[in-house]
Amino acid sequence: MNIVVLDGMGGGIGSRIVGILKDEIPPYIEIYGLGTNALATAAMLKKGANKGATGENAIAVTVKKADFIIGSIAMTIPNSMMGEVTPKMVEAIGNSDGRKIYIPILPENHHIVSLEEKPLLLQIREAVSLIKKELNLGEV
């Protein structure tokens, strides 16, 4: 069982996700920190990701084997994060059989209507609770 955490830029969101997952899920579940750049990957490894890899090919290969994929919804938009998210990454994420859980953080020119605005930490905690529910680990 593994959870892939995706992030780019400085890795701030991904590292927060990894930190909360490490606190709340059993240690036999592996967490992979996949960054669009080395800084994002390093931030997730520093917070406790079991494995880390960087770049388009690493993301495209690893998400195929993911049980869960979690990250900003921007990871599903080609050329977002100042061009760090490539079309190949987006296609691989979309084609993965893993369950996808998105934090609704979008590029400036994208909007989703009817989402309740909440602090980032609360959104991450809700996403982790959803993973725990899917894994029958309690809490909803």
Side-chain angles (χ1 to χ4, degrees):
M1 175 74 53
N2 66 62
I3 299 172
V4 166
V5 180
L6 299 170
D7 203 3
M9 310 292 287
I13 295 168
S15 64
R16 284 184 174 179
I17 294 169
V18 169
I20 292 170
L21 284 169
K22 289 301 278 189
D23 288 342
E24 303 218 7
I25 63 167
Y28 63 83
I29 298 173
E30 292 213 323
I31 300 170
Y32 298 170
L34 301 182
T36 60
N37 63 64
L39 186 60
T41 303
M44 291 185 279
L45 286 168
K46 186 175 180 181
K47 283 292 191 169
N50 300 95
K51 296 179 182 177
T54 302
E56 178 181 77
N57 198 58
I59 290 172
V61 169
T62 308
V63 297
K64 289 178 191 176
K65 304 175 224 169
D67 295 298
F68 289 90
I69 300 169
I70 182 170
S72 165
I73 200 167
M75 294 296 296
T76 67
I77 300 170
N79 305 311
S80 63
M81 294 190 184
M82 297 176 60
E84 290 186 16
V85 178
T86 68
K88 181 178 175 182
M89 290 177 191
V90 172
E91 182 177 15
I93 293 164
N95 286 335
S96 171
D97 289 334
R99 293 182 192 105
K100 293 144 193 94
I101 299 172
Y102 300 123
I103 308 293
I105 298 172
L106 294 161
E108 292 176 11
N109 59 345
H110 289 77
H111 300 278
I112 298 176
V113 296
S114 299
L115 284 179
E116 182 181 344
E117 287 195 32
K118 297 178 185 178
L120 176 60
L121 187 57
L122 183 57
Q123 292 177 33
I124 292 170
R125 289 202 179 279
E126 287 181 14
V128 170
S129 289
L130 182 59
I131 290 172
K132 288 171 69 175
K133 179 183 173 193
E134 291 284 325
L135 294 172
N136 294 317
L137 297 174
E139 192 179 324
V140 178

